[in-house]
Amino acid sequence: MDIVSLFLGASEGRSIVSYEAYIRIALYLDGFGYYRKNKARVGKSNETDFYTSVSLGGIYSNLIVESAQKLLGENYCERATFVEIAAEPETHLLANIAHPFRNVKVVRYGENVEIPSDSVVFSNEWLDAQPFCRFKFYKKRGWVELGVDVSTYPFREVELDEFSVNAESFKGDLPTDALDEYCLDISLDAEVQLSRLAGGSWSGLFLTADYGKDWLDLIQNYPEGTGRTYDKHKVDGDLLDQPGSKDITCHVCWDRLQAILEINEFSSTGLDRQESFFMKYASEYIQKVISGSNASKESDKRKLMELIHPSMMGNAFQILWGIKE
């Protein structure tokens, strides 16, 4: 089946779709979507597309484990299930380390998320992998929602005649003024996913690592939007190029996501740069790695510095967390 027929079929014959609908097909359509393919996406090799904290293996895993123990207590962790959401194919965070948790549950991209009663729920770059909407502001017309014409390939960006269903509910949150032709990318689907998870009848800790900005930053300082693709470690702003073969993502909006945790009765929440989070909650493990002196420990030190140094992943990633009692 050619790509036009595929997109028209997936969109029930509609030739003009919202960006959210387009991205959902490009990322998650069975047999086609980027995240439906059983392929290695994460790592430093030429065959992968991007590099992230989980690529550093046991060092990152142990930092997360110690942080969970510090926030919840060792006794709680011993009776809890560690749930990893959106783990990469054929691996998971705790696969190769000793850990204190009673059980481990792994949820792959697109699978239903069911959380046991006492849990530590972790995800790395899960929320930024959700479809997002794209808006543009015009001084004379206000905000319009952008979409995609999928009737011919290459696809092209178009303005929608009216807001899509999800965008309509969000319209009132858009600022009343902005720079002319200012572009805003925001994942309302990420907010829906987090709301479902946070509203469940479970207790414990939620931890998610990702890259994002706060609301004011997104609506004032990124006139081209934050949407982009990743392919073989190359970043591109053309969201319509080779759909199904590239990751499509944008920055998450941290303060809107943190508000969702608070609305759902998470008694304690926080948002920290990755460096700051691990220095506060995994300092004993950090000290243990730094004090090592053999060759393998030197390798561990390099990985640790990559994770926490401000010029590397320490500042690029943030960690949102919350405790639900």
Side-chain angles (χ1 to χ4, degrees):
M1 182 182 294
D2 67 89
I3 194 167
V4 170
S5 299
L6 187 148
F7 268 82
L8 289 174
S11 59
E12 299 179 338
R14 294 190 303 275
S15 60
I16 304 294
V17 298
S18 67
Y19 259 104
E20 187 178 63
Y22 162 79
I23 295 168
R24 184 170 289 109
I25 296 169
L27 295 184
Y28 290 107
L29 181 67
D30 285 340
F32 174 79
Y34 177 79
Y35 282 110
R36 292 300 193 192
K37 295 172 180 173
N38 187 21
K39 57 167 284 186
R41 292 178 282 263
V42 180
K44 285 188 173 181
S45 81
N46 293 332
E47 299 305 312
T48 58
D49 296 319
F50 52 91
Y51 183 62
T52 186
S53 298
V54 295
S55 306
L56 292 164
I59 297 296
Y60 185 67
S61 303
N62 281 298
L63 288 168
I64 292 294
V65 169
E66 184 170 305
S67 299
Q69 291 179 302
K70 187 72 173 289
L71 285 163
L72 284 180
E74 293 183 9
N75 290 339
Y76 188 96
C77 289
E78 288 174 0
R79 68 174 188 269
T81 298
F82 186 92
V83 182
E84 183 179 358
I85 300 175
E88 285 296 302
E90 301 179 1
T91 188
H92 62 90
L93 188 77
L94 305 186
N96 299 308
I97 69 164
H99 63 80
F101 304 104
R102 182 177 180 180
N103 295 302
V104 174
K105 181 176 181 178
V106 181
V107 181
R108 306 295 177 184
Y109 278 105
E111 294 180 352
N112 290 331
V113 180
E114 296 182 4
I115 309 300
S117 56
D118 295 317
S119 290
V120 172
V121 181
F122 167 78
S123 69
N124 180 73
E125 295 196 58
W126 167 52
L127 294 174
D128 77 77
Q130 305 307 314
F132 57 87
C133 296
R134 171 163 274 199
F135 301 93
K136 183 169 280 190
F137 183 80
Y138 295 97
K139 288 292 186 180
K140 293 182 178 180
R141 292 187 287 148
W143 289 97
V144 299
E145 185 180 3
L146 301 179
V148 182
D149 183 343
V150 297
S151 63
T152 58
Y153 190 79
F155 299 151
R156 63 187 181 91
E157 182 177 279
V158 295
E159 295 178 7
L160 301 183
D161 292 333
E162 57 185 18
F163 283 81
S164 60
V165 174
N166 280 352
E168 182 67 32
S169 64
F170 170 74
K171 185 167 62 174
D173 292 343
L174 288 165
T176 56
D177 193 24
L179 293 174
D180 194 39
E181 299 192 21
Y182 193 98
C183 186
L184 172 66
D185 296 313
I186 188 159
S187 178
L188 305 178
D189 207 55
E191 297 179 13
V192 170
Q193 295 291 338
L194 183 57
S195 294
R196 288 174 181 165
L197 184 147
S201 57
W202 60 277
S203 62
L205 174 66
F206 172 72
L207 284 170
T208 190
D210 224 316
Y211 44 82
K213 305 292 179 182
D214 63 32
W215 175 246
L216 287 178
D217 209 3
L218 288 175
I219 63 174
Q220 293 178 357
N221 299 322
Y222 293 88
E224 302 298 320
T226 63
R228 57 204 183 277
T229 67
Y230 285 92
D231 178 50
K232 303 297 186 290
H233 304 279
K234 294 180 180 179
V235 184
D236 195 327
D238 185 355
L239 306 183
L240 307 183
D241 182 50
Q242 301 179 58
S245 299
K246 296 184 176 185
D247 187 23
I248 307 175
T249 184
C250 75
H251 277 77
V252 301
C253 183
W254 283 125
D255 40 350
R256 289 177 64 91
L257 295 174
Q258 188 168 358
I260 290 171
L261 296 183
E262 293 167 352
I263 289 169
N264 284 281
E265 300 181 346
F266 280 72
S267 59
S268 300
T269 67
L271 175 65
D272 300 279
R273 289 181 294 108
Q274 184 163 281
E275 170 205 12
S276 176
F277 180 82
F278 287 140
M279 292 300 292
K280 284 192 284 188
Y281 300 112
S283 58
E284 291 182 14
Y285 181 73
I286 289 172
Q287 185 57 44
K288 179 181 177 181
V289 172
I290 291 173
S291 63
S293 58
N294 59 33
S296 64
K297 290 296 183 180
E298 291 303 315
S299 174
D300 288 347
K301 288 179 190 178
R302 288 193 295 272
K303 292 177 181 178
L304 176 64
M305 287 301 103
E306 193 168 350
L307 285 166
I308 67 174
H309 196 282
S311 67
M312 304 175 83
M313 294 185 186
N315 194 47
F317 287 93
Q318 298 85 46
I319 294 182
L320 173 66
W321 61 272
I323 297 174
K324 188 175 187 180
E325 298 177 353

